[in-house]
Amino acid sequence: MAENGNGNVATENGLAKIQTQKQKALNGICHDDSGPTVKAKTIDELHSLQTKKSAPTTPNTGSSTPFASLSEQERQQLQLQSISASLASLTRETGPKVVKGDPAKSQSQKVDHVHHVHVTPTIAVSDSALKFTHVLYNLSPAELYEQAIKYEKGSFVTSNGALATLSGAKTGRSPRDKRVVKDDVTESELWWGKGSPNIEMDEQTFLVNRERAVDYLNSLDKVYVNDQFLNWDPQNRIKVRIVSARAYHSLFMHNMCIRPSPEELENFGTPDFTIYNAGKFPCNRFTHYMTSSTSIDLNLARREMVILGTQYAGEMKKGLFSVMHYLMPKRQILSLHSGCNMGKDGDVALFFGLSAMEIGYGFCSHFLIILMDFLFILLEKKTGTGKTTLSTDHNRYLIGDDEHCWSENGVSNIEGGCYAKCIDLSREKEPDIWNAIRFGTVLENVVFDEHTREVDYSDKSVTENTRAAYPIEYIPNAKLPCVGPHPKNVILLACDAFGVLPPVSKLNLAQTMYHFISGYTALVAGTEDGIKEPQATFSACFGAAFIMLHPTKYAAMLAEKMESNGATGWLVNTGWSGGSYGTGKRIKLSYTRKIIDAIHNGSLLKAEYNKSKIFGLETPTAVEGVPAEILDPVNAWADKDAYNETLLKLAGLFRKNFETFTNYTIGKGGDNLTEEILAAGPIF
């Protein structure tokens, strides 16, 4: 070693060795007096100096609310009173006394029993009212990581920084266990009966389940509370409160909902909707309307949702989506299960297409839904319509990947995050999702190396339905805030395994409504799944499992908004050409991208069109970069008779499916489907 010019000793590699400056010794101890002395006598006091108050936020919300004039103590008191009221069951005036903070970091609370000696117990007093429940309120991802790893078995930090966790026995939604309270209002407003996802329950049964969930949450030493928003449109956003027992659920909703700024959290007030997630605790199977130990219950009058017997986080996300499908149309706002992106010039496109869960619901009856979580997730990779792939375009901004609203202000994302399938995920095929899986992301039910903590996305040991939940700002081309002008193009995606639909068709308004209501795609699989030929499946509005009103309500709103804003409807087939599955070939993704590009840039509007028989679809004669012979499906088939036979078969399946909606009476008004929509279907 040698001393350099600064008096520091140089090491062999040339870097200076850091030395403590020579200072006067105090009682023989060297110390750095360049800053004030830290006055902390305990480690807890020292930690208190390290932290400062903050709240997790969604960046660039485009709006702010002034701070409340209340003092911090008064604001916290009001907040705790509000949460306490939420946790109060119906048989007592208040729930347990709620306090902020982690009980592991707090001094034990002492209850003076002397004051209760001469009090006669009443219905408003219970043991739970004499205990303290700690409320962990809007914790940050780092805090929730600590909670999950410390208290929830099966939670680990992976090599990419994400939190890997397990959802328990249920690794997917349980649609057969979802119930909606049928009362005097919802009886006439909601879609009930054949084809509907809404299975009824009465008010009394809901209250029984609510009491069970709330009592369970009250019995815990601590609960997690998230106060967040839905809908990026500031004029029409919804305030939601999620009360849960798991840090994993709190982090999941932190990512999926819109995160308030500190200012917005100050004035959050009373939520518009509340979820009681007691999923670790089962429902009573002998309660009326229960078919298993799982129950997901919606009460639209009370603006509440109760979850029992399932820890799958997707129930909260999709439950709130169902709520938005009810609340938004009341404001003349159309709620949509779609992807959405925007070009550099401000042109917005909506993408509709079925995913695994929606395919399963459309194919199964209520009695067969039990097969959905297993069978149709297996089929997803072979029947994907391409909604996520085609709405993700590096040349365009992503407004959202799943749930949107279309109001008089334009389009807005409902959520603050993305919930991506990650089975067989690779950096090459899905770089955006791959890079979004980092600190703050929740990884559900994935398998990873015990030592390196590297995730094996191809491992299906736990489930095929592995998922990643992350904030939308983790996507590099996300548009923040997630709002845009009125859409110019509405793209309906179908994976037609029969091979008779054109790669692209321009739709008039009636056809758009017809195909939107139909929500068609087709299932294909290998012989191992027992399906050797295409199976048509339909899911109304491309999301039948989540809609609350009759499909024609949403279709009519879609047509009205398209007409008033000059939007064009398109039907894009991402399936087979030149024959059905097994004979023909899947349409190349590069061709489909060329078609989507032509829709975006407006060139397809200027093309020449021919009208197809049976379905009456307008098909272009030429699209740049796409072989002309596949644009009219019959030209790509060697066996023309087989084509005609298959075309008639598919048309018959469309007609049979639409019988569900024909002459359906909507509420007490007696509104029926118009002849115009019926005429837009196949004509034999």
Side-chain angles (χ1 to χ4, degrees), residues 263-439:
E263 296 87 349
E264 290 167 333
L265 212 53
E266 292 282 347
N267 284 334
F268 191 84
T270 304
D272 299 310
F273 197 88
T274 303
I275 293 179
Y276 300 101
N277 189 343
K280 294 180 73 173
F281 198 65
C283 68
N284 186 330
R285 293 179 293 113
F286 297 101
T287 303
H288 194 34
Y289 293 102
M290 300 300 102
T291 54
S292 74
S293 60
T294 297
S295 190
I296 303 100
D297 307 328
L298 281 176
N299 190 323
L300 297 172
R302 294 180 60 91
R303 305 290 174 93
E304 292 178 341
M305 178 180 178
V306 168
I307 299 176
L308 290 163
T310 174
Q311 297 178 64
Y312 180 64
E315 296 289 6
M316 295 182 288
K317 165 188 162 67
K318 291 303 187 182
L320 288 176
F321 189 32
S322 295
V323 171
M324 293 296 280
H325 268 313
Y326 175 74
L327 295 179
M328 291 296 101
K330 285 179 169 292
R331 302 184 184 185
Q332 300 306 308
I333 297 170
L334 177 59
S335 49
L336 299 166
H337 187 212
S338 69
C340 182
N341 66 23
M342 185 180 80
K344 300 291 194 298
D345 296 328
D347 58 298
V348 170
L350 294 172
F351 293 82
F352 295 88
L354 299 184
S355 62
M357 290 306 194
E358 290 73 57
I359 290 173
Y361 187 88
F363 184 72
C364 298
S365 69
H366 284 311
F367 301 102
L368 295 178
I369 289 175
I370 191 170
L371 300 175
M372 188 178 72
D373 290 343
F374 172 72
L375 176 59
F376 294 108
I377 291 173
L378 293 178
L379 301 179
E380 164 63 10
K381 294 175 293 177
K382 301 171 184 174
T383 60
T385 56
K387 181 182 71 170
T388 301
T389 301
L390 295 173
S391 61
T392 303
D393 187 333
H394 290 175
N395 296 315
R396 296 172 66 84
Y397 299 110
L398 179 68
I399 292 177
D401 72 330
D402 197 40
E403 303 175 8
H404 293 88
C405 286
W406 189 351
S407 71
E408 61 181 10
N409 301 324
V411 69
S412 58
N413 191 350
I414 289 175
E415 301 179 300
C418 302
Y419 193 33
K421 294 183 291 291
C422 53
I423 190 69
D424 293 327
L425 179 68
S426 68
R427 189 196 299 269
E428 295 72 29
K429 293 181 180 179
E430 298 284 357
D432 287 344
I433 297 176
W434 180 277
N435 293 325
I437 300 176
R438 57 182 195 260
F439 180 81

Side-chain angles (χ1 to χ4, degrees), residues 583-632:
T583 303
K585 294 182 179 180
R586 186 89 187 250
I587 297 172
K588 291 183 179 181
L589 178 60
S590 59
Y591 295 162
T592 304
R593 287 197 181 279
K594 290 290 185 181
I595 289 170
I596 299 298
D597 289 342
I599 291 173
H600 288 326
N601 63 34
S603 62
L604 209 51
L605 282 175
K606 303 173 184 177
E608 294 183 3
Y609 286 86
N610 292 325
K611 196 168 188 176
S612 69
K613 59 181 181 180
I614 306 296
F615 279 91
L617 298 171
E618 297 283 342
T619 60
T621 57
V623 178
E624 185 178 355
V626 181
E629 60 269 18
I630 73 169
L631 293 176
D632 188 346

Side-chain angles (χ1 to χ4, degrees), residues 228-241:
Q228 296 181 260
F229 299 124
L230 296 177
N231 196 355
W232 283 79
D233 180 356
Q235 294 181 17
N236 295 293
R237 70 183 182 187
I238 300 296
K239 297 185 294 183
V240 294
R241 170 169 293 164

Side-chain angles (χ1 to χ4, degrees), residues 7 14 86 122 185 233 272 346 401 426 443 458 467 490 495 531-532 620 630 644 655:
S86 294
T122 67
V185 176
D233 180 356
D272 299 310
D401 72 330
S426 68
L443 279 175
S458 65
R467 294 272 182 165
V490 174
C495 176
I531 300 177
K532 300 180 181 180
I630 73 169
N644 289 323
R655 175 173 286 186

